[in-house]
Amino acid sequence: MSASTIIICLALLLIVFYTIKSYTKKLNQGCCGGGDAPTRNPVADKNASHYPYHCVLAIRGMTCDHCAARIENALNALDGTWATVHLKKNEAEVRTKQPLDENLLRRTVAAAGYTVTEVRH
């Protein structure tokens, strides 16, 4: 065998090894590498009357409960925000105490690794 053939075979073996390793991780830990159960950080104020502003974000990229928890936690980390993510609908219901900054919500979801495809008021 020539040296170039050996190098190509080694490269292919590395690709196959990495693919199997990644797929095994996905099977064991979920699509986004989460652990056992997704942890959602609770919102202290769950009185809907305290949140006069409301919208629904359509979100692309969520595939498991870990994804939903990541997005919900990211949105709930914003001051005066109470978000609930619905995985089956690929949506996040967002309530805020101050007027909504649509771009901030989009950036927050993007920073968590997902994409807002639509904002409905």
Side-chain angles (χ1 to χ4, degrees):
M1 271 199 228
S2 69
S4 61
T5 303
I6 293 172
I7 291 171
I8 291 171
C9 287
L10 287 174
L12 288 173
L13 282 174
L14 285 173
I15 291 169
V16 169
F17 174 76
Y18 176 75
T19 303
I20 291 171
K21 183 179 172 185
S22 296
Y23 185 70
T24 303
K25 180 180 177 183
K26 181 178 178 178
L27 288 176
N28 291 333
Q29 298 180 349
C31 65
C32 55
D36 295 330
T39 303
R40 285 185 162 83
N41 298 331
V43 175
D45 182 6
K46 289 193 174 183
N47 184 337
S49 68
H50 295 168
Y51 299 89
Y53 304 96
H54 176 268
C55 72
V56 175
L57 307 176
I59 299 173
R60 185 177 61 225
M62 286 191 299
T63 57
C64 71
D65 285 334
H66 296 284
C67 297
R70 288 178 66 190
I71 294 167
E72 191 169 295
N73 289 341
L75 290 167
N76 285 336
L78 299 172
D79 191 40
T81 301
W82 176 19
T84 305
V85 175
H86 307 283
L87 177 63
K88 290 183 180 181
K89 294 180 179 180
N90 289 315
E91 294 179 343
E93 184 177 358
V94 182
R95 297 172 183 91
T96 61
K97 293 181 178 182
Q98 302 298 322
L100 290 163
D101 180 351
E102 187 176 310
N103 289 324
L104 175 62
L105 297 176
R106 287 179 181 274
R107 288 192 309 268
T108 300
V109 171
Y114 306 89
T115 304
V116 174
T117 57
E118 179 185 10
V119 179
R120 295 188 305 269
H121 294 277

